[in-house]
Amino acid sequence: MRLATTQYARGLLVLVLLLPCTHLAHAQTVRATINGTVTDTTGLGLQGATVVLLSQPDSVLAHFAISGRDGRFTLRRIPADTYILQVTFVGFAPLTQALTVQDSEVDVGTLVLQEATGRLGELVVNAERVPIVVKRDTLEYNAAAFAPRPGSNVEDLLRRLPGVEVDDNGTIRAQGETVQNVLVDGKEFFGDNPQMATRNLPAEAIEKVQVYDKQSDMAEFTGVDDGQEEKTINLELTEDAKRGYFGQISGGFGADERYDGQVSVNRFSPRTQLSLIGNANNVNRQGFGAADYIQFMGGLQALMADGGGSLRLGGPGIPLGTDLSDGFSQTFSVGLNANYDFSESLSIWSSYFLNSLDNRQDRTVFQEQPLGRLQAATLTEESLQQSDRLGHQFNLTARQAFSDGHDLRLRSTFSLSNTALTNRGDRATRDASGSLASTSLTDYGTEGDDVGGNATLTWRKRLTERGHSLVAEARAALNASDLKADLTNATTFFEAGDVLSYTELVQAQARTGNTFQQRQRLAFIYPVRGVGSFELGAERRQTQEDQDKRIEDLVDGVPVLNPLLSEGFDRTYTYYEGGIRFNRRRKAFSFGVGVEVQTADLDGRIIGRDEAVEGRFTNVLPSANLSWAPRVGMNLDARYTTRTREPSMNELQPFVDNRDPLNVYVGNPDLIPEYRHDLSLRYLYFDQFSFLNVMAFARVSRTQDAIVRARTVDDQLRQEVTSINGGDAWSVNATTDVGTPIRPLGVQVNLGTRSLWDRSFERVNNVENDTRTLRTTVEARLGNRRKDDVDLSGGTRFTFNRVAYSLSDELDQQYVNRTFFGDVTWYLGETWEVQAGLRYRQFTQDVFGGQDDVALLEATVTKRLFNDRIEVVLTGQDLLDQNVGVNFANTATFVQEERIASLGRYFMLKLVYRLSDFGGRSGGRGGGIEVRRFGD
C-alpha cells in the first residue's frame, strides 16, 4: 500500500511540475487568493506538499502550489468557480475536497494528511508538459517537451533547447558560455569531454537536462564561491535507463564505398555505469570534438603559428573532420566508461578512449591584410593537407568519504598521441595596386609524439559542527612533446612585373619540449552565525618549461646546422597568492566579495647565449558575485572577476619560426603578463502559466597590457611577426533568447540574438592599427507543438559582420551571411517515418567577389520492425550535390574567406538494432502525458 501511494504521489508531483496552468482558457476575472496549511496528524507542517486545484467536472489542472517550510501555501489569481482541491505528499494518503471560490480571500485552514494505509482509485489527467523550470542556480529542461525524432542522440535534443547552441563540431554553448563538462546522472562520462555523452547517448534515455555553473571541489565543500566555475550540463536519465541495458548497434553501406558503423552499449544500475562506444566510418562523422583534437595534438600552443594566438595560414590547420564541410575524413574510435560505487563512501569513475583519424583537405584561401595607410596585401593560397592521428586517453576519478564532512578526491588524466601531417601550399601575394609581389610554394611535413598527464588531489575536512573547515588541494601536470619536420620552400619576388629575386629553402627541423606544472592551495573556512562565511586562502603554483630547437639546412643533401635558428630556452613562472573572501547566503539572495594579492616571478634562460630573462610582478585580484531569485522562475546573477595570463612559451622564446618564410615569427622575452577584468550578468525567467521563457547574458571584458602582434613588412611584403604588450583591449558579448507558445496557432516561437563587439589592435611598421569588430546573429525558429503525426520546424539566421581598421579605411568590411533551415518528419502509421532537412546558406558577395550559395538537402526513410527494436534506414546526404565548406573570418590582422572541397552527395542503407525501446516511442513526440492513481 505504501508503495502504491508513493508512486501516486510521485506521479502527481511530476504532473504538477510538468503541466501548465490552463487558467488562460477561462474568461472569468481573477479575483481570489487561497491560503492554507498542510500538516501531519501531530500538527507538524509538511514542507514540499503538492497542492493542486482541479476544475470541475473534467478534473483539468487549473493551478498548483508547493507548501513552504512551515506547511503554508498560497494559490493566487483564482477565478470564481467550483474546484476540487487535492493535496499530496510522499508517504501520506492524498486529501481531496470540493472548494467553491466566491470571495477575494479564501482560507481553507489546516489540511491534515493521514499516513497511507490503502490503495487508491485511478485518476488520469492529460495536459501539456512544463518544458522549463528555473531554480536558484539551475535551469532545468524537461526532455520530453523537446524530444527529437526517435533514434536521435543527445546532441539533437540539445539543439532544440532554448538558450542552448550546438555548432557543427559539437561545441555546446549555454546561456552565452561554452559548456565544458557534461555529466550523466551527476557522474563523469568519459572524463570532461562533452561530445562523448552528447553524441553517443540516445535522446530517449534522458529525462531532464540541467544547466548550471559547477563549482570547484573546494567551493562545493566550503560553500564559499572561489570563482572557479565550469558551465556544466547534467543529463538525468529516465527510470528505464537507470536500471538496465540501452543503446544501439548500427551499420550502413552506400555508393562510392561509403560506410558507417556505430555501437553504443550502456548498462546502468544504481551503483554501476558501464558504457562501450565505437564507430568506424568515412562520412566525416566523429564521436569527439575540437577539445579532444587539441589535446591529442599536444595542446593549443602546438597548433599555433606563433605566440600571438592565431592559427597559421597554410600551416598545419585543424583537420577536425566533424561534419560534411571539413574535407574528407576516415575515422575509427572505441571507448569504455566504467563508474562504480563500492559503497556510499567510495566511488570510482574511469574511462579509456582510442581514436584514429585520417583527414584530407583541399583548401582555397583569400585574405587581405592592412599594411599601412591605403596599403594592403592581398593573399591567395591553395593547399592540400593530409593528416593522420592516433590517440589514447585514460581518465580516473576516485572519491573516498571517511566520515560526514571528511573526504578525499582524486582526478587524473593520461594521454598519448602520434600525429603525422603533410601540407603543400601555393601562395600568391599582391600589393595595394594589384601587382604581383611574390609567389611561394611550400611543402611542410611533420611527425610527432606527445605524452601528457595531470592529477589533482583534494582533501576536505569539516572541523566543527558549526562548519569550520579546512581544505587542501594539490595538482601536478606534465607534458612532453617530440616533433620532427621537413620544410621545403621556393619563393619568387617581383618588381613591376619582373623577377627581382628567387630564394630556395630546404631544412630538417626538430623540436622537443617539456612542461611541468604544480599547484598547492590551502583554505580555512570560518563561519560566523547570522553573518556568513569567511575563507582565508593561500596558494603556490609554478610552471616550468623548456624547449629545444635544432634546424639543419640541407646543402647538396648534406645537413648543416643553422646556429641562428637553433637554440634552447627554459623558463619558470612561480606564483604566490593569498587572500580573503566573504560569502553570505540567504533563501533568495546571496553574495560574495573577495580579494587576493598575487606575486609572480619569471626566471628564464636562453641556452647557448647565456642570457637571462627575469621579471617580478605584483597584482591585486578583487572579485565579487551576486545572485538573486526574487520569485519562482526568475533568477539574476552578476559576477566580477580578475585574473592574469602569463606569456606562453612560444611568445617568450627568441626562436625564429620560419615554417612560412614569408611570415616568420620571433618571440619576445620582455613580455609581461596580461591583467583581465570580467563583468558578467545573467537573467533567467520562465512563467509556468504562459510558458514564456526569457534568457539574457552579457559579459564585458577589459584586458590591460594585452599581448598583441607587431608586424614589420618590407618592400617585398615579407613579414616578421612578434608579440608585444599593448594598451587596453575590450570585448563585449551578449546573448538573448525568448520563447513562447502561440496556442491558437499550435506553434512554438523562439527568437535569439548573439552579439560580439571587440576592440583590439596590432602594430604594423610601428604604426598602431586599431581594429573594431561587430558581429551580430539574429535567429528565429518556429515549430509545431503537437507532434503526433508531423514534427515540423524551421527558421532563419542572419549574421551581420562589420570590421573597421584605423590603419586602412579601404579594408573596412560590412557583410551579411544568411542561413535558412527547415526539418520535417512525417509519422506514417506506427512503423514508417519520412524525414527531410534543408540548410540553405547565402554568402555575401561584397568581400571577395561572387560566391555560390550552398544548399544542403538530406532525406531519410525509416521502417521499424519487431516492436521498434530494428530499424531499416535509407538515407541520402547532400542530394543537390552542392556541399563545400565556406568560412569567413575577420581579425585585427586580416579579413579572410576559406573554402574547403568536401564530401558530396551519397546514399546509404543502414540497419539499426536498439537494445531498448524505453517503453515505446509514444512519449517522444510531445503532447499529453498521463499520470495515474493506481486503482483498487
Side-chain angles (χ1 to χ4, degrees), residues 168-185:
D168 290 337
N169 67 17
T171 300
I172 309 165
R173 292 180 63 83
Q175 302 164 12
E177 298 180 273
T178 301
V179 173
Q180 300 171 287
N181 204 3
V182 173
L183 307 177
V184 178
D185 271 351

Side-chain angles (χ1 to χ4, degrees), residues 805-844:
Y805 298 100
S806 64
L807 191 61
S808 180
D809 297 339
E810 291 190 354
L811 268 186
D812 294 354
Q813 295 287 351
Q814 184 169 324
Y815 57 93
V816 181
N817 292 331
R818 307 168 182 86
T819 300
F820 302 91
F821 52 89
D823 292 281
V824 60
T825 302
W826 291 276
Y827 300 102
L828 306 178
E830 293 297 324
T831 62
W832 283 94
E833 177 186 314
V834 179
Q835 183 267 337
L838 175 66
R839 300 290 183 274
Y840 181 62
R841 300 177 65 189
Q842 289 185 324
F843 301 98
T844 184

Side-chain angles (χ1 to χ4, degrees), residues 899-912:
R899 303 179 67 183
I900 304 174
S902 299
L903 182 66
R905 178 170 53 204
Y906 71 90
F907 297 90
M908 181 173 290
L909 183 65
K910 299 180 68 174
L911 184 67
V912 181

